[in-house]
Amino acid sequence: SEQTYRNNFENEAFDWFAFNEYLVRKVLNGKFLAIAVDPSFLPKSGKKTPWIGRFWSGVAGEMKRGQEIFGVGVIDVENHDCMTLSVPQTPDAKSLEEMDYNLVEWYCQNLIILKEKLQKISRLVVADAFFSKETFVNPLLKEGFHVISRFRNDAVLFYPTLQKPTGKRGHPKWYDGKVDFANLDLSRCEEIEVDKGRLIGLKAYSKSLKRSIKVVVWYPDEEDTTKWQIYFSTDDSMSTKDVIDCYRTRF
């Protein structure tokens, strides 16, 4: 009955993370694994359910009343598969305020709490464009993670400097000109063959993240450079193919 399920799930002695990790290691046999995160909205009415509030619903494209879970899973990039590790419930706005967290900080802290367990699986965290914020990325970097995500199309990025140290006082300039995605400097890029459109990788300096990153730009049409999608990894040694494969497997 419903009561039986509820009573058993309230038994905190059972280690759900260890159970899910066992299943992950049993099923996902690829050598390239990453941690994927994705909040999910759940419609819910009533007054007795904890943490009911207004959350973003991607399906509806608006804020709606209900619950949210923060999905944390493992993606097998080679086999294009994913399994769930953990799904904590997101607190409502009032509860977050009482905890002295904003929403992004709460997401981030959930991963940091699981740091030792997660990093035994992978140090790569893959998240959608909502998470491409300094307040999410930099705390994870300090804890030894790397983040793969997607920027808005108007992201401010700069080419890394080609200037050599002069021996004079002061640090050489950090970067050269701003990256113009409608007119990329292809001498600083690599292009990879894809079935549709153009896929170009380069290293760049991110103004918002204040660091050098690996950037992957996808143009849906080979001839049209007015539309693009920008993906990135804070590990600037990653290959263009690995960055795009990680993000698309998460999706």
Side-chain angles (χ1 to χ4, degrees):
S1 70
E2 183 274 337
Q3 180 75 42
T4 305
Y5 280 106
R6 183 148 47 89
N7 289 343
N8 280 307
F9 273 99
E10 287 177 352
N11 178 10
E12 296 181 2
F14 189 81
D15 190 342
W16 284 101
F17 188 98
F19 178 69
N20 289 333
E21 183 183 3
Y22 169 80
L23 295 176
V24 165
R25 294 189 183 278
K26 194 90 170 172
V27 177
L28 301 185
N29 53 20
K31 295 181 180 179
F32 188 6
L33 303 178
I35 306 299
V37 298
D38 192 22
S40 295
F41 172 77
L42 302 173
K44 180 72 175 177
S45 59
K47 298 181 179 179
K48 300 297 183 182
T49 306
W51 289 351
I52 283 187
R54 294 187 64 79
F55 298 97
W56 177 257
S57 168
V59 174
E62 62 181 356
M63 300 289 285
K64 298 193 70 175
R65 186 173 187 273
Q67 296 173 301
E68 183 185 87
I69 55 173
F70 181 51
V72 181
V74 179
I75 55 174
D76 181 339
V77 180
E78 292 174 274
N79 297 309
H80 302 283
D81 206 353
C82 178
M83 292 183 69
T84 299
L85 273 177
S86 175
V87 278
Q89 184 184 346
T90 306
D92 60 86
K94 183 179 178 182
S95 299
L96 281 173
E97 187 177 349
E98 291 171 354
M99 297 175 187
D100 201 25
Y101 284 134
N102 62 39
L103 188 59
V104 173
E105 289 170 341
W106 185 85
Y107 292 144
C108 193
Q109 284 303 312
N110 267 271
L111 296 176
I112 292 173
I113 289 169
L114 295 172
K115 168 186 168 180
E116 292 186 10
K117 295 177 180 179
L118 292 176
Q119 291 186 354
K120 289 179 182 177
I121 301 169
S122 176
R123 290 178 177 269
L124 281 175
V125 175
V126 191
D128 66 21
F130 174 81
F131 294 91
S132 61
K133 301 174 172 65
E134 181 186 6
T135 51
F136 180 81
V137 173
N138 287 347
L140 290 184
L141 287 171
K142 290 179 182 178
E143 298 294 333
F145 289 102
H146 275 294
V147 177
I148 294 174
S149 186
R150 180 181 158 191
F151 281 132
R152 287 174 31 164
N153 285 16
D154 59 354
V156 178
L157 303 172
F158 297 89
Y159 291 109
T161 183
L162 299 177
Q163 180 181 323
K164 302 296 182 182
T166 61
K168 298 180 181 179
R169 292 180 65 185
H171 195 284
K173 64 178 182 178
W174 290 100
Y175 43 80
D176 288 337
K178 183 179 176 182
V179 177
D180 178 2
F181 292 100
N183 187 28
L184 284 175
D185 181 352
L186 296 180
S187 67
R188 295 173 176 257
C189 307
E190 62 167 350
E191 185 167 354
I192 290 183
E193 286 190 22
V194 288
D195 294 335
K196 182 182 178 182
R198 299 178 67 194
L199 189 65
I200 296 175
L202 67 150
K203 287 185 180 181
Y205 180 86
S206 167
K207 182 178 180 180
S208 62
L209 300 180
K210 300 178 178 62
R211 64 179 291 113
S212 175
I213 57 174
K214 177 73 176 189
V215 177
V216 177
V217 191
W218 181 58
Y219 297 91
D221 189 315
E222 288 188 15
E223 305 301 326
D224 187 0
T225 59
T226 62
K227 298 178 182 178
W228 55 80
Q229 293 178 0
I230 309 169
Y231 306 89
F232 74 90
S233 170
T234 57
D235 180 359
D236 62 6
S237 67
M238 282 189 75
S239 71
T240 300
K241 183 177 184 302
D242 283 349
V243 174
I244 199 71
D245 282 352
C246 273
Y247 192 89
R248 287 181 172 175
T249 302
R250 183 215 70 87
F251 181 78

PDB file of all heavy atoms in Angstrom, residues 18-41:
ATOM      1  N   ALA A  18      24.661   4.444  -2.589  1.00  0.00           N
ATOM      2  CA  ALA A  18      25.494   3.248  -2.793  1.00  0.00           C
ATOM      3  C   ALA A  18      24.775   2.217  -3.654  1.00  0.00           C
ATOM      4  O   ALA A  18      25.381   1.561  -4.505  1.00  0.00           O
ATOM      5  CB  ALA A  18      25.878   2.643  -1.446  1.00  0.00           C
ATOM      6  N   PHE A  19      23.471   2.092  -3.438  1.00  0.00           N
ATOM      7  CA  PHE A  19      22.673   1.157  -4.235  1.00  0.00           C
ATOM      8  C   PHE A  19      22.662   1.557  -5.703  1.00  0.00           C
ATOM      9  O   PHE A  19      22.892   0.741  -6.611  1.00  0.00           O
ATOM     10  CB  PHE A  19      21.249   1.118  -3.670  1.00  0.00           C
ATOM     11  CG  PHE A  19      20.307   0.237  -4.434  1.00  0.00           C
ATOM     12  CD1 PHE A  19      20.438  -1.142  -4.425  1.00  0.00           C
ATOM     13  CD2 PHE A  19      19.259   0.797  -5.157  1.00  0.00           C
ATOM     14  CE1 PHE A  19      19.552  -1.955  -5.127  1.00  0.00           C
ATOM     15  CE2 PHE A  19      18.373   0.000  -5.863  1.00  0.00           C
ATOM     16  CZ  PHE A  19      18.517  -1.385  -5.847  1.00  0.00           C
ATOM     17  N   ASN A  20      22.421   2.853  -5.954  1.00  0.00           N
ATOM     18  CA  ASN A  20      22.403   3.337  -7.333  1.00  0.00           C
ATOM     19  C   ASN A  20      23.778   3.258  -7.981  1.00  0.00           C
ATOM     20  O   ASN A  20      23.909   2.940  -9.171  1.00  0.00           O
ATOM     21  CB  ASN A  20      21.887   4.777  -7.373  1.00  0.00           C
ATOM     22  CG  ASN A  20      20.408   4.868  -7.067  1.00  0.00           C
ATOM     23  OD1 ASN A  20      19.662   3.931  -7.291  1.00  0.00           O
ATOM     24  ND2 ASN A  20      19.977   5.996  -6.529  1.00  0.00           N
ATOM     25  N   GLU A  21      24.830   3.538  -7.196  1.00  0.00           N
ATOM     26  CA  GLU A  21      26.183   3.453  -7.732  1.00  0.00           C
ATOM     27  C   GLU A  21      26.519   2.016  -8.139  1.00  0.00           C
ATOM     28  O   GLU A  21      27.162   1.767  -9.155  1.00  0.00           O
ATOM     29  CB  GLU A  21      27.199   3.946  -6.700  1.00  0.00           C
ATOM     30  CG  GLU A  21      28.634   3.952  -7.232  1.00  0.00           C
ATOM     31  CD  GLU A  21      29.650   4.366  -6.185  1.00  0.00           C
ATOM     32  OE1 GLU A  21      29.256   4.592  -5.016  1.00  0.00           O
ATOM     33  OE2 GLU A  21      30.841   4.438  -6.528  1.00  0.00           O
ATOM     34  N   TYR A  22      26.060   1.066  -7.326  1.00  0.00           N
ATOM     35  CA  TYR A  22      26.268  -0.350  -7.664  1.00  0.00           C
ATOM     36  C   TYR A  22      25.628  -0.680  -9.008  1.00  0.00           C
ATOM     37  O   TYR A  22      26.228  -1.339  -9.862  1.00  0.00           O
ATOM     38  CB  TYR A  22      25.674  -1.236  -6.555  1.00  0.00           C
ATOM     39  CG  TYR A  22      25.592  -2.696  -6.926  1.00  0.00           C
ATOM     40  CD1 TYR A  22      26.708  -3.524  -6.840  1.00  0.00           C
ATOM     41  CD2 TYR A  22      24.386  -3.251  -7.369  1.00  0.00           C
ATOM     42  CE1 TYR A  22      26.629  -4.866  -7.199  1.00  0.00           C
ATOM     43  CE2 TYR A  22      24.304  -4.578  -7.727  1.00  0.00           C
ATOM     44  CZ  TYR A  22      25.415  -5.385  -7.638  1.00  0.00           C
ATOM     45  OH  TYR A  22      25.342  -6.709  -7.994  1.00  0.00           O
ATOM     46  N   LEU A  23      24.396  -0.191  -9.211  1.00  0.00           N
ATOM     47  CA  LEU A  23      23.710  -0.455 -10.478  1.00  0.00           C
ATOM     48  C   LEU A  23      24.424   0.223 -11.644  1.00  0.00           C
ATOM     49  O   LEU A  23      24.547  -0.348 -12.730  1.00  0.00           O
ATOM     50  CB  LEU A  23      22.266   0.043 -10.389  1.00  0.00           C
ATOM     51  CG  LEU A  23      21.359  -0.674  -9.389  1.00  0.00           C
ATOM     52  CD1 LEU A  23      19.989  -0.008  -9.351  1.00  0.00           C
ATOM     53  CD2 LEU A  23      21.225  -2.146  -9.725  1.00  0.00           C
ATOM     54  N   VAL A  24      24.898   1.445 -11.417  1.00  0.00           N
ATOM     55  CA  VAL A  24      25.621   2.174 -12.464  1.00  0.00           C
ATOM     56  C   VAL A  24      26.851   1.401 -12.915  1.00  0.00           C
ATOM     57  O   VAL A  24      27.098   1.205 -14.109  1.00  0.00           O
ATOM     58  CB  VAL A  24      26.020   3.582 -11.958  1.00  0.00           C
ATOM     59  CG1 VAL A  24      27.076   4.201 -12.863  1.00  0.00           C
ATOM     60  CG2 VAL A  24      24.800   4.492 -11.894  1.00  0.00           C
ATOM     61  N   ARG A  25      27.643   0.942 -11.935  1.00  0.00           N
ATOM     62  CA  ARG A  25      28.876   0.224 -12.274  1.00  0.00           C
ATOM     63  C   ARG A  25      28.577  -1.133 -12.905  1.00  0.00           C
ATOM     64  O   ARG A  25      29.397  -1.675 -13.644  1.00  0.00           O
ATOM     65  CB  ARG A  25      29.741   0.067 -11.024  1.00  0.00           C
ATOM     66  CG  ARG A  25      30.253   1.404 -10.481  1.00  0.00           C
ATOM     67  CD  ARG A  25      31.270   1.223  -9.379  1.00  0.00           C
ATOM     68  NE  ARG A  25      31.713   2.493  -8.820  1.00  0.00           N
ATOM     69  CZ  ARG A  25      32.647   3.270  -9.356  1.00  0.00           C
ATOM     70  NH1 ARG A  25      33.231   2.901 -10.493  1.00  0.00           N
ATOM     71  NH2 ARG A  25      32.999   4.407  -8.777  1.00  0.00           N
ATOM     72  N   LYS A  26      27.407  -1.673 -12.623  1.00  0.00           N
ATOM     73  CA  LYS A  26      27.007  -2.962 -13.193  1.00  0.00           C
ATOM     74  C   LYS A  26      26.613  -2.820 -14.662  1.00  0.00           C
ATOM     75  O   LYS A  26      26.866  -3.703 -15.479  1.00  0.00           O
ATOM     76  CB  LYS A  26      25.812  -3.489 -12.401  1.00  0.00           C
ATOM     77  CG  LYS A  26      25.484  -4.948 -12.634  1.00  0.00           C
ATOM     78  CD  LYS A  26      26.220  -5.825 -11.670  1.00  0.00           C
ATOM     79  CE  LYS A  26      25.711  -7.263 -11.740  1.00  0.00           C
ATOM     80  NZ  LYS A  26      26.557  -8.176 -10.946  1.00  0.00           N
ATOM     81  N   VAL A  27      25.997  -1.662 -14.993  1.00  0.00           N
ATOM     82  CA  VAL A  27      25.387  -1.502 -16.311  1.00  0.00           C
ATOM     83  C   VAL A  27      26.218  -0.642 -17.268  1.00  0.00           C
ATOM     84  O   VAL A  27      26.390  -0.986 -18.437  1.00  0.00           O
ATOM     85  CB  VAL A  27      23.971  -0.905 -16.168  1.00  0.00           C
ATOM     86  CG1 VAL A  27      23.349  -0.656 -17.531  1.00  0.00           C
ATOM     87  CG2 VAL A  27      23.090  -1.828 -15.333  1.00  0.00           C
ATOM     88  N   LEU A  28      26.742   0.487 -16.771  1.00  0.00           N
ATOM     89  CA  LEU A  28      27.490   1.390 -17.651  1.00  0.00           C
ATOM     90  C   LEU A  28      28.940   0.926 -17.734  1.00  0.00           C
ATOM     91  O   LEU A  28      29.710   1.081 -16.792  1.00  0.00           O
ATOM     92  CB  LEU A  28      27.422   2.828 -17.123  1.00  0.00           C
ATOM     93  CG  LEU A  28      26.024   3.433 -16.987  1.00  0.00           C
ATOM     94  CD1 LEU A  28      26.106   4.895 -16.566  1.00  0.00           C
ATOM     95  CD2 LEU A  28      25.212   3.292 -18.265  1.00  0.00           C
ATOM     96  N   ASN A  29      29.311   0.359 -18.852  1.00  0.00           N
ATOM     97  CA  ASN A  29      30.650  -0.244 -18.977  1.00  0.00           C
ATOM     98  C   ASN A  29      31.604   0.558 -19.848  1.00  0.00           C
ATOM     99  O   ASN A  29      32.695   0.099 -20.169  1.00  0.00           O
ATOM    100  CB  ASN A  29      30.536  -1.675 -19.517  1.00  0.00           C
ATOM    101  CG  ASN A  29      29.738  -1.743 -20.812  1.00  0.00           C
ATOM    102  OD1 ASN A  29      29.591  -0.739 -21.501  1.00  0.00           O
ATOM    103  ND2 ASN A  29      29.206  -2.911 -21.121  1.00  0.00           N
ATOM    104  N   GLY A  30      31.217   1.776 -20.250  1.00  0.00           N
ATOM    105  CA  GLY A  30      32.123   2.601 -21.045  1.00  0.00           C
ATOM    106  C   GLY A  30      33.259   3.148 -20.198  1.00  0.00           C
ATOM    107  O   GLY A  30      33.165   3.229 -18.969  1.00  0.00           O
ATOM    108  N   LYS A  31      34.334   3.543 -20.855  1.00  0.00           N
ATOM    109  CA  LYS A  31      35.501   4.075 -20.142  1.00  0.00           C
ATOM    110  C   LYS A  31      35.424   5.590 -19.928  1.00  0.00           C
ATOM    111  O   LYS A  31      36.194   6.142 -19.154  1.00  0.00           O
ATOM    112  CB  LYS A  31      36.777   3.725 -20.913  1.00  0.00           C
ATOM    113  CG  LYS A  31      37.061   2.226 -20.974  1.00  0.00           C
ATOM    114  CD  LYS A  31      38.348   1.935 -21.734  1.00  0.00           C
ATOM    115  CE  LYS A  31      38.629   0.435 -21.787  1.00  0.00           C
ATOM    116  NZ  LYS A  31      39.870   0.137 -22.543  1.00  0.00           N
ATOM    117  N   PHE A  32      34.508   6.252 -20.634  1.00  0.00           N
ATOM    118  CA  PHE A  32      34.392   7.705 -20.533  1.00  0.00           C
ATOM    119  C   PHE A  32      33.069   8.038 -19.849  1.00  0.00           C
ATOM    120  O   PHE A  32      32.007   8.040 -20.470  1.00  0.00           O
ATOM    121  CB  PHE A  32      34.458   8.322 -21.928  1.00  0.00           C
ATOM    122  CG  PHE A  32      34.547   9.833 -21.942  1.00  0.00           C
ATOM    123  CD1 PHE A  32      34.693  10.566 -20.767  1.00  0.00           C
ATOM    124  CD2 PHE A  32      34.478  10.524 -23.137  1.00  0.00           C
ATOM    125  CE1 PHE A  32      34.760  11.944 -20.780  1.00  0.00           C
ATOM    126  CE2 PHE A  32      34.545  11.908 -23.171  1.00  0.00           C
ATOM    127  CZ  PHE A  32      34.682  12.611 -21.986  1.00  0.00           C
ATOM    128  N   LEU A  33      33.128   8.316 -18.538  1.00  0.00           N
ATOM    129  CA  LEU A  33      31.943   8.631 -17.757  1.00  0.00           C
ATOM    130  C   LEU A  33      31.984  10.085 -17.296  1.00  0.00           C
ATOM    131  O   LEU A  33      33.055  10.660 -17.146  1.00  0.00           O
ATOM    132  CB  LEU A  33      31.840   7.717 -16.530  1.00  0.00           C
ATOM    133  CG  LEU A  33      31.814   6.213 -16.775  1.00  0.00           C
ATOM    134  CD1 LEU A  33      31.765   5.470 -15.440  1.00  0.00           C
ATOM    135  CD2 LEU A  33      30.639   5.803 -17.655  1.00  0.00           C
ATOM    136  N   ALA A  34      30.829  10.661 -17.070  1.00  0.00           N
ATOM    137  CA  ALA A  34      30.731  12.025 -16.535  1.00  0.00           C
ATOM    138  C   ALA A  34      29.494  12.121 -15.663  1.00  0.00           C
ATOM    139  O   ALA A  34      28.566  11.316 -15.775  1.00  0.00           O
ATOM    140  CB  ALA A  34      30.675  13.047 -17.670  1.00  0.00           C
ATOM    141  N   ILE A  35      29.492  13.118 -14.778  1.00  0.00           N
ATOM    142  CA  ILE A  35      28.349  13.378 -13.913  1.00  0.00           C
ATOM    143  C   ILE A  35      27.438  14.381 -14.605  1.00  0.00           C
ATOM    144  O   ILE A  35      27.885  15.453 -15.016  1.00  0.00           O
ATOM    145  CB  ILE A  35      28.795  13.942 -12.550  1.00  0.00           C
ATOM    146  CG1 ILE A  35      29.839  13.028 -11.898  1.00  0.00           C
ATOM    147  CG2 ILE A  35      27.592  14.148 -11.636  1.00  0.00           C
ATOM    148  CD1 ILE A  35      29.372  11.625 -11.608  1.00  0.00           C
ATOM    149  N   ALA A  36      26.154  14.048 -14.740  1.00  0.00           N
ATOM    150  CA  ALA A  36      25.193  14.950 -15.367  1.00  0.00           C
ATOM    151  C   ALA A  36      24.196  15.449 -14.328  1.00  0.00           C
ATOM    152  O   ALA A  36      23.790  14.688 -13.444  1.00  0.00           O
ATOM    153  CB  ALA A  36      24.453  14.249 -16.498  1.00  0.00           C
ATOM    154  N   VAL A  37      23.824  16.717 -14.411  1.00  0.00           N
ATOM    155  CA  VAL A  37      22.823  17.269 -13.488  1.00  0.00           C
ATOM    156  C   VAL A  37      21.702  17.916 -14.289  1.00  0.00           C
ATOM    157  O   VAL A  37      21.925  18.480 -15.356  1.00  0.00           O
ATOM    158  CB  VAL A  37      23.448  18.293 -12.516  1.00  0.00           C
ATOM    159  CG1 VAL A  37      24.511  17.631 -11.657  1.00  0.00           C
ATOM    160  CG2 VAL A  37      24.032  19.493 -13.246  1.00  0.00           C
ATOM    161  N   ASP A  38      20.483  17.820 -13.744  1.00  0.00           N
ATOM    162  CA  ASP A  38      19.337  18.404 -14.435  1.00  0.00           C
ATOM    163  C   ASP A  38      18.148  18.513 -13.478  1.00  0.00           C
ATOM    164  O   ASP A  38      17.632  17.488 -13.036  1.00  0.00           O
ATOM    165  CB  ASP A  38      18.945  17.542 -15.630  1.00  0.00           C
ATOM    166  CG  ASP A  38      17.949  18.240 -16.546  1.00  0.00           C
ATOM    167  OD1 ASP A  38      17.880  19.483 -16.505  1.00  0.00           O
ATOM    168  OD2 ASP A  38      17.239  17.536 -17.298  1.00  0.00           O
ATOM    169  N   PRO A  39      17.720  19.721 -13.114  1.00  0.00           N
ATOM    170  CA  PRO A  39      16.519  19.870 -12.294  1.00  0.00           C
ATOM    171  C   PRO A  39      15.278  19.517 -13.113  1.00  0.00           C
ATOM    172  O   PRO A  39      15.209  19.792 -14.309  1.00  0.00           O
ATOM    173  CB  PRO A  39      16.510  21.355 -11.921  1.00  0.00           C
ATOM    174  CG  PRO A  39      17.858  21.870 -12.295  1.00  0.00           C
ATOM    175  CD  PRO A  39      18.349  21.013 -13.407  1.00  0.00           C
ATOM    176  N   SER A  40      14.291  18.913 -12.447  1.00  0.00           N
ATOM    177  CA  SER A  40      13.042  18.541 -13.126  1.00  0.00           C
ATOM    178  C   SER A  40      11.845  18.995 -12.298  1.00  0.00           C
ATOM    179  O   SER A  40      11.790  18.747 -11.090  1.00  0.00           O
ATOM    180  CB  SER A  40      12.973  17.028 -13.331  1.00  0.00           C
ATOM    181  OG  SER A  40      13.977  16.592 -14.212  1.00  0.00           O
ATOM    182  N   PHE A  41      10.896  19.636 -12.971  1.00  0.00           N
ATOM    183  CA  PHE A  41       9.684  20.108 -12.307  1.00  0.00           C
ATOM    184  C   PHE A  41       8.655  18.990 -12.211  1.00  0.00           C
ATOM    185  O   PHE A  41       8.462  18.213 -13.151  1.00  0.00           O
ATOM    186  CB  PHE A  41       9.087  21.290 -13.083  1.00  0.00           C
ATOM    187  CG  PHE A  41       7.740  21.717 -12.582  1.00  0.00           C
ATOM    188  CD1 PHE A  41       7.632  22.468 -11.423  1.00  0.00           C
ATOM    189  CD2 PHE A  41       6.581  21.348 -13.253  1.00  0.00           C
ATOM    190  CE1 PHE A  41       6.381  22.856 -10.938  1.00  0.00           C
ATOM    191  CE2 PHE A  41       5.336  21.730 -12.788  1.00  0.00           C
ATOM    192  CZ  PHE A  41       5.243  22.486 -11.623  1.00  0.00           C
TER     193      PHE A  41
END
